[in-house]
Amino acid sequence: RLDPAAYDRMEIVICPPFTALRSVQVVVESDELDVALGAQNMYWESSGAFTGEVSPPMLTKLGVKYVILGHSERREHFREDDEHVNAKVRSAFANGLIPIMCVGETLKERESGFTQAKVGSQVWEGLKGLTETQVAGMVIAYEPIWAIGTGRNATAEDAQETISSIRGEVREMVGDAAEEIRIQYGGSVKPGNIAEMMAQPDIDGALVGGASLDADEFAQIVQYYKPS
């Protein structure tokens, strides 16, 4: 179990597959855990003939608070573009959900010097039509595609540089909301690199992937501040 101090220092969100949402909800509620429930995706329409899709009201009925949108795998494998992501972000807010909007670049884009252009474009397109208050209350997760599930990861300095530029884009769009929005790093986050990441001034949290499947590793990441 986690050190109780972990719950006081940070917000912990668990985002299981759709089929496990109800089971996780029961555990969280029965154990009175201070853990928020999140979903890994959703469709932007609240109702209609969209067989196989999961709507925002379906999630809220299960006590879901957060939803991950625009994950790199959704963009790559399911051809979700910035317009789709923006529609989902706006729908999340309309249905009382907090979006975790993912942005990130490929290895080719990074090596070609297009990181800031690619990520900046995703930020601008993804936040279209949002109010300053909405932007301030959401989460952006920077996940360099080349560092997801590869064992490679951006250095803390690399992550800070890009996340700082993301905050700058948000500031240009909506002003002071840039100081309130939470911007996370995601990409091979592990117990061995989380403390260094979290020491950076613009990194507010982590979107944990593979390491979240190991309870001990995930607990170590959440409790990164404890002395070894």
Side-chain angles (χ1 to χ4, degrees):
R1 299 183 69 88
L2 295 178
D3 179 348
Y7 298 105
D8 296 330
R9 292 177 60 96
M10 65 195 69
E11 184 175 17
I12 302 168
V13 182
I14 304 295
C15 301
F18 291 131
T19 51
L21 281 171
R22 175 57 177 160
S23 298
V24 175
Q25 178 199 22
V26 170
V27 172
V28 168
E29 292 182 353
S30 63
D31 289 357
E32 297 184 343
L33 299 177
D34 191 10
V35 173
L37 188 62
Q40 296 181 5
N41 186 36
M42 71 170 200
Y43 193 60
W44 59 80
E45 294 287 358
S46 295
S47 63
F50 305 106
T51 301
E53 295 294 340
V54 174
S55 70
M58 291 178 183
L59 298 180
T60 56
K61 285 182 180 179
L62 289 174
V64 171
K65 181 178 180 181
Y66 287 87
V67 58
I68 299 173
L69 302 172
H71 191 280
S72 61
E73 291 160 2
R74 298 294 313 178
R75 293 177 187 264
E76 180 182 2
H77 300 310
F78 299 97
R79 301 296 186 265
E80 291 187 6
D81 58 22
D82 291 328
E83 184 177 355
H84 293 142
V85 175
N86 178 249
K88 291 183 177 185
V89 169
R90 289 186 285 109
S91 178
F93 278 117
N95 287 275
L97 294 163
I98 300 173
I100 301 173
M101 187 183 79
C102 299
V103 298
E105 83 282 21
T106 65
L107 180 60
K108 181 178 180 180
E109 288 165 340
R110 180 174 185 80
E111 291 179 339
S112 300
F114 291 133
T115 293
Q116 291 194 11
K118 172 65 176 293
V119 173
S121 175
Q122 290 177 326
V123 170
W124 277 84
E125 294 300 319
L127 301 186
K128 275 185 176 178
L130 301 184
T131 67
E132 182 175 344
T133 299
Q134 288 174 326
V135 173
M138 66 180 290
V139 180
I140 293 178
Y142 167 56
E143 44 161 20
I145 298 171
W146 49 272
I148 299 173
T150 64
R152 296 182 59 178
N153 59 280
T155 65
E157 292 74 19
D158 289 338
Q160 164 60 26
E161 180 181 13
T162 303
I163 289 176
S164 176
S165 74
I166 291 172
R167 200 176 298 281
E169 299 284 358
V170 175
R171 186 177 296 110
E172 188 173 342
M173 290 186 72
V174 290
D176 292 342
E179 311 311 320
E180 300 296 327
I181 190 173
R182 287 174 289 175
I183 307 179
Q184 303 177 328
Y185 170 74
S188 296
V189 176
K190 301 180 183 300
N193 63 20
I194 183 62
E196 186 179 11
M197 290 291 179
M198 292 304 299
Q200 303 303 311
D202 284 298
I203 300 180
D204 301 317
L207 185 68
V208 185
S212 68
L213 301 178
D214 184 303
D216 290 335
E217 281 200 14
F218 185 64
Q220 290 178 55
I221 290 171
V222 171
Q223 300 173 115
Y224 72 91
Y225 55 88
K226 293 179 65 177
S228 57

